[in-house]
Each structure stands twice: as structure tokens, then as C-alpha cells.
């Protein structure tokens, strides 16, 4: 499949160029500030310093921008992208080619517990591909696609290798996490950035508070505030304090109200409970300050 000759646009973000379908607001979304902030994010150098990812997995790759950021930050890492909308694959491959980036594996599929037969339907929002979902809304196109599981995609990753996973599936996150339960339980060095959108989760049949409770029971979970601080030097600075079990209902209420009509959302960081991010070394204590008049008097006496 080749890119369309017309209905094509692109955006330059730093040293990366991203081509997309001009009539798709999922593509023009890349003009937005958040993608320029992501390019400058301190998260990537901190991950490189503390996790050194050898494998990166982008679940919900869209036009491939996050995958390009992964390659830029971790050029030696094995890169796996998963995106179920068939006509996005040539855009992804083109974007990697024009940016001189290596793509190790691309799966035209959804990530989920694999059903019998290994196939699933998928709803495509043709006006805004970033809002496509497994369970389609009325009027959307529906395609048949493969199903892959994190447990299978990362089955060969040894325990000493760091793994970075991004998950953005418009409410399908419960099934994505379930598909990787065995890997996440046995592997000690992984870091996940995932979307958490209560309204989107409910559209896919998931109770957001129950999902959050399950994540808190299994892993350490942190709210990502979006843009990272300038010159943040450690993951601990970026991640802040973890969410505590028992906060589920209040946190979901808080997130809902971050958007109009209860459509708020945030990103979460999810890591193994034993994960210990580095902290900035403490500055040595300052010597007590002696008032100027006392110093002058001491000098006069001396």
C-alpha cells in the first residue's frame, strides 16, 4: 500500500517529520502543543539513564510519532509497533523511512487476550483515527484485524533488559494489561505510560475504578501531569508520589472533571512495585550564615 497522492500533510517537530492524512483530525492533532512538549520531555533521557530500554512497545501507534520518539531516545532498542487501522501502516513505514529510523516489527492488530481464532472486529473513526476503539460507536467503519498479546510479543525478553511500553487504546487498556499479566509478573525491569480516561473505559465495557484498583493491587501507579519539568534529572522527580489503594473512586471523579461533560483523562505511569527510581543527590548542607556586622567585628578584633 502506498500513501495517497492527495489528502496528505506533514508537520515538523524538532528533527522529526510526521506525514499524515490531511482530512484526519487524528493527524492534524500533531500540530498541537502536547506533541512538541513530548518531543522535549525529560522522561526519555531519564528512562535511558535509569532503565536503558532494550525493547520498546508502542500499543496504539497511529501515525508512528511515539515510535519515532522511542527510536530517537533509545536508538539501540528493539522497536515493536502495534496499530490495527490497515491504511495507517504505510504512513507509519513512510514516516520511519523519511526519518531514517529503524522499525523492527509492525503488527496490524489490536493488543488483547487472544480469542479463539485470533481475530477481532475494530471500530475505525474515519474522521479522527486517534479516537478509534475496539467497540465501535454507531456510524463508524468496522474492520477485522488480528489480535496479539503482550505476553507473546515480549516472550523472549530476558529479565536483565529494560522494557518501555506506551499504551493508548481509547478505553481498551484493561484487556491490554490482561494480555501481558504473565510478562509483567515475571519481569522486573519495565515502565509503562498508559492513558486513563474513565468515559473511554466505560465505552469499552470497563469500570474505571475497578481497573485502577486492580492496577494498584498489582503494581505501583503514578499520575503523569503531562509536561515534565525543565531540567528534571530523575524519574522520581517526574513521577512524584504513587497513588494509594482506596483512592479509586475519588481519583476517577477527579479525572472525569478534568474535561467537559465528564470526559477528562490523564496518563498514568505503571511500574513493578519493587521499582526504585533514582533520586537527585541531596545538596550538602550550607554553612551557617554569619551576619555581616558580626564578621566585620571579628575582623576588627583579629
Amino acid at each position: 500500500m502506498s500513501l495517497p497522492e492527495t489528502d496528505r500533510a506533514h508537520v515538523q517537530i524538532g528533527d522529526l517529520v510526521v506525514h499524515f492524512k490531511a482530512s484526519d483530525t487524528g493527524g492534524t492533532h500533531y500540530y498541537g502543543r502536547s506533541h512538541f512538549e513530548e518531543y522535549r520531555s525529560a522522561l526519555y533521557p531519564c528512562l535511558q539513564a535509569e532503565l536503558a530500554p532494550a525493547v520498546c512497545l508502542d500499543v496504539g501507534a497511529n501515525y508512528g510519532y511515539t515510535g519515532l520518539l522511542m527510536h530517537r531516545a533509545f536508538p539501540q532498542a528493539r522497536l515493536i509497533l502495534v496499530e490495527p487501522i490497515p491504511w495507517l501502516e504505510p504512513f507509519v513505514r513512510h514516516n520511519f523511512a523519511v526519518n531514517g529510523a529503524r522499525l523492527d516489527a509492525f503488527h496490524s492488530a489490536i493488543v488483547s487476550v487472544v480469542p479463539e481464532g485470533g481475530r477481532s472486529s475494530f471500530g475505525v473513526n474515519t474522521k479522527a483515527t486517534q479516537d478509534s476503539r475496539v467497540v465501535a460507536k454507531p456510524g463508524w467503519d468496522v474492520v477485522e484485524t488480528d489480535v496479539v498479546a503482550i505476553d507473546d510479543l515480549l516472550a523472549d525478553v530476558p529479565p536483565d533488559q529494560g522494557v518501555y511500553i506506551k499504551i493508548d487504546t481509547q478505553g481498551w487498556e484493561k484487556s491490554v494489561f490482561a494480555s501481558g499479566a504473565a510478562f509483567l509478573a515475571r519481569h522486573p525491569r519495565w515502565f509503562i505510560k498508559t492513558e486513563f480516561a474513565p468515559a473511554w473505559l466505560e465505552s469499552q465495557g470497563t469500570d474505571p475504578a475497578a481497573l485502577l484498583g486492580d492496577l494498584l493491587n498489582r503494581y505501583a501507579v503514578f499520575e503523569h501531569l503531562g509536561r515534565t519539568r525543565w531540567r528534571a534529572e530523575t524519574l522520581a522527580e517526574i513521577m512524584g508520589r504513587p497513588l494509594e489503594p482506596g483512592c479509586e473512586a475519588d481519583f476517577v471523579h477527579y479525572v472525569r472533571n478534568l474535561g467537559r461533560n465528564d470526559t477528562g483523562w490523564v496518563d498514568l505511569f505503571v511500574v513493578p512495585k519493587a521499582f526504585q527510581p533514582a533520586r537527585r543527590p541531596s545538596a550538602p548542607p550550607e554553612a551557617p550564615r554569619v551576619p555581616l556586622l558580626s564578621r566585620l567585628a571579628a575582623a576588627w578584633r583579629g
Side-chain angles (χ1 to χ4, degrees):
M1 297 171 64
S2 59
L3 298 189
E5 293 298 326
T6 59
D7 193 20
R8 213 168 103 190
H10 71 274
V11 60
Q12 186 83 35
I13 305 177
D15 62 348
L16 299 176
V17 60
V18 181
H19 292 259
F20 52 84
K21 191 175 181 180
S23 60
D24 173 21
T25 60
T28 57
H29 188 266
Y30 291 106
Y31 291 132
R33 168 176 169 164
S34 64
H35 295 291
F36 288 80
E37 291 176 346
E38 182 76 359
Y39 179 88
R40 298 292 180 187
S41 175
L43 174 64
Y44 293 101
C46 288
L47 281 172
Q48 176 60 27
E50 299 180 40
L51 186 68
V55 181
C56 292
L57 173 60
D58 184 359
V59 180
N62 201 242
Y63 287 90
Y65 176 60
T66 299
L68 290 171
L69 291 179
M70 289 172 167
H71 180 271
R72 179 174 175 269
F74 322 117
Q76 302 306 314
R78 175 158 59 102
L79 188 58
I80 306 168
L81 269 60
V82 185
E83 170 56 53
I85 300 177
W87 56 263
L88 284 177
E89 180 177 354
F91 277 97
V92 171
R93 295 192 180 278
H94 178 77
N95 284 331
F96 269 75
V98 297
N99 286 283
R102 186 190 73 256
L103 176 57
D104 297 289
F106 181 93
H107 296 270
S108 185
I110 66 169
V111 174
S112 187
V113 175
V114 180
E116 185 176 351
R119 301 278 289 176
S120 172
S121 60
F122 183 80
V124 180
N125 183 345
T126 56
K127 295 180 179 179
T129 54
Q130 285 185 326
D131 189 36
S132 298
R133 308 178 200 178
V134 175
V135 180
K137 295 182 70 173
W140 286 7
D141 291 348
V142 177
V143 299
E144 291 294 315
T145 187
D146 289 336
V147 179
V148 294
I150 289 178
D151 284 344
D152 297 325
L153 293 173
L154 303 181
D156 62 344
V157 180
D160 62 333
Q161 289 190 352
V163 177
Y164 175 52
I165 303 172
K166 183 222 86 177
I167 303 171
D168 187 352
T169 55
Q170 300 301 100
W172 197 246
E173 288 77 19
K174 176 182 177 181
S175 295
V176 176
F177 274 95
S179 83
F183 171 81
L184 299 177
R186 69 171 171 80
H187 197 281
R189 301 189 64 239
W190 51 265
F191 188 106
I192 293 176
K193 177 184 174 185
T194 182
E195 184 181 61
F196 184 81
W200 282 211
L201 289 162
E202 289 170 340
S203 78
Q204 304 301 291
T206 295
D207 179 331
L211 172 61
L212 180 59
D214 185 59
L215 294 178
L216 289 171
N217 182 54
R218 296 171 184 264
Y219 317 117
V221 181
F222 302 76
E223 179 190 1
H224 177 33
L225 299 180
R227 182 179 62 83
T228 58
R229 292 179 56 196
W230 181 54
R231 289 184 175 174
E233 294 183 1
T234 66
L235 287 177
E237 283 185 73
I238 294 171
M239 295 164 70
R241 295 174 56 188
L243 301 180
E244 299 290 344
C247 76
E248 295 88 346
D250 288 342
F251 186 75
V252 169
H253 177 74
Y254 154 76
V255 174
R256 287 187 192 279
N257 285 276
L258 295 178
R260 187 166 55 92
N261 298 326
D262 290 341
T263 58
W265 61 273
V266 296
D267 284 329
L268 300 176
F269 296 137
V270 183
V271 298
K273 283 191 173 181
F275 182 81
Q276 294 292 330
R279 299 188 177 277
R280 187 195 294 260
S282 299
E286 293 186 6
R289 298 197 176 192
V290 180
L292 177 60
L293 289 177
S294 298
R295 283 184 278 140
L296 291 174
W300 179 261
R301 287 194 300 271

